[in-house]
Amino acid sequence: LSKGVDVRSHVREVDSRLREVELASIQDYIHESDNLLHLHTQIKSCDGILQELEALLGGFQSDLGNISSEIKSLQEQSMTMSVKLNNRKVAEAELGKFVEALTVPPRMVSEMLEAEVNEDYLGFLLALREKLEFCAGDELVRKAAALQDVEPELERLRVKAASKVRDFLLSKLNLLRRPKTNIQILQQSVLLKHKAFVAFLRDHGPEAFPEVRSAYVDTMGRIFRGAL
């Protein structure tokens, strides 16, 4: 106003410029409308993809939960199977011992009935002793049906072995009665060497052990009396 500017003219000029800017903006919008529409379509498409991805991730998470449960179940089944396998191995080992203890090999039978009493015979005698003690020491074994089949054979071998060992020990005792016999050497080299035979008679030959013991006492008594 101080410069003499016409206010109305100035307002009209400003208004005119604003309309020009508005029209220019509208033209720009119209010009870019295709691009905006394409951008809008892309945004909607991205929304759809994101929703599908969200659903996929949700399903994946659910699958992971199921897999975790299945893995846990498999681990539990594996532990159960491992325990069953170990129990089966233990049972098989015990069954193997049971079968071996109740099995009388044909060679063992023939050797114990026919072979001479010597160091080789002692091996069969110890095997027989183990079988006899196994059968007598376990109540479950006593009730086993298999024992009914093998027990008569074990008893036959026991009786025969006791008789043969009895004759063998009595023959060794007779050596002590010979004149000029070195008793100390004979006791160490023969009697002590065959103490396992004496132990077998003591534990499993009640019909023969008293006779062998009496023969030994009588023999030693004669020797000591003769030495006096």
Side-chain angles (χ1 to χ4, degrees), residues 147-175:
L147 181 62
Q148 308 304 318
D149 298 329
V150 74
E151 192 170 29
E153 184 68 11
L154 290 177
E155 176 63 14
R156 182 168 76 101
L157 292 179
R158 185 198 68 78
V159 172
K160 184 64 176 179
S163 176
K164 292 171 70 71
V165 170
R166 165 191 166 278
D167 294 341
F168 174 78
L169 293 176
L170 289 178
S171 68
K172 298 300 180 183
L173 289 176
N174 287 332
L175 295 178

Side-chain angles (χ1 to χ4, degrees), residues 26-223:
I26 292 173
Q27 290 298 323
D28 290 339
Y29 180 78
I30 293 173
H31 179 72
E32 297 292 336
S33 61
D34 292 338
N35 293 333
L36 292 174
L37 180 60
H38 181 65
L39 180 60
H40 178 70
T41 302
Q42 287 183 333
I43 292 174
K44 290 186 64 177
S45 177
C46 288
D47 288 341
I49 293 175
L50 289 174
Q51 289 179 356
E52 292 178 359
L53 182 60
E54 182 180 5
L56 179 63
L57 291 175
F60 184 67
Q61 185 177 8
S62 177
D63 291 340
L64 286 178
N66 293 335
I67 292 175
S68 178
S69 299
E70 291 178 0
I71 291 176
K72 183 177 180 180
S73 176
L74 289 174
Q75 288 177 337
E76 292 176 352
Q77 293 179 17
S78 176
M79 291 180 63
T80 300
M81 292 178 64
S82 177
V83 172
K84 289 182 178 180
L85 179 60
N86 289 334
N87 291 340
R88 180 176 179 179
K89 289 181 179 179
V90 172
E92 288 179 350
E94 293 298 325
L95 181 60
K97 293 179 182 179
F98 179 82
V99 172
E100 182 180 0
L102 293 184
T103 299
V104 183
R107 182 168 178 261
M108 178 180 176
V109 175
S110 62
E111 291 290 333
M112 297 205 71
L113 294 180
E114 301 172 7
E116 295 182 0
V117 179
N118 50 34
E119 292 184 3
D120 293 334
Y121 192 87
L122 179 59
F124 294 104
L125 192 70
L126 294 177
L128 175 62
R129 176 173 185 162
E130 289 182 2
K131 294 180 185 297
L132 291 172
E133 292 177 354
F134 178 81
C135 294
D138 194 323
E139 185 63 26
L140 293 178
V141 176
R142 298 296 306 167
K143 296 179 180 179
L147 181 62
Q148 308 304 318
D149 298 329
V150 74
E151 192 170 29
E153 184 68 11
L154 290 177
E155 176 63 14
R156 182 168 76 101
L157 292 179
R158 185 198 68 78
V159 172
K160 184 64 176 179
S163 176
K164 292 171 70 71
V165 170
R166 165 191 166 278
D167 294 341
F168 174 78
L169 293 176
L170 289 178
S171 68
K172 298 300 180 183
L173 289 176
N174 287 332
L175 295 178
L176 296 175
R177 299 182 180 183
R178 293 180 180 180
K180 300 181 181 181
T181 298
N182 191 321
I183 299 175
Q184 184 177 3
I185 294 177
L186 186 62
Q187 283 182 318
Q188 292 177 350
S189 63
V190 179
L191 297 181
L192 292 178
K193 182 179 178 180
H194 298 100
K195 61 182 180 180
F197 291 108
V198 179
F200 177 83
L201 288 186
R202 181 193 63 210
D203 298 332
H204 301 288
E207 66 274 23
F209 180 68
E211 181 181 358
V212 173
R213 181 178 56 187
S214 297
Y216 177 77
V217 172
D218 181 63
T219 299
M220 296 305 297
R222 291 184 181 183
I223 292 174

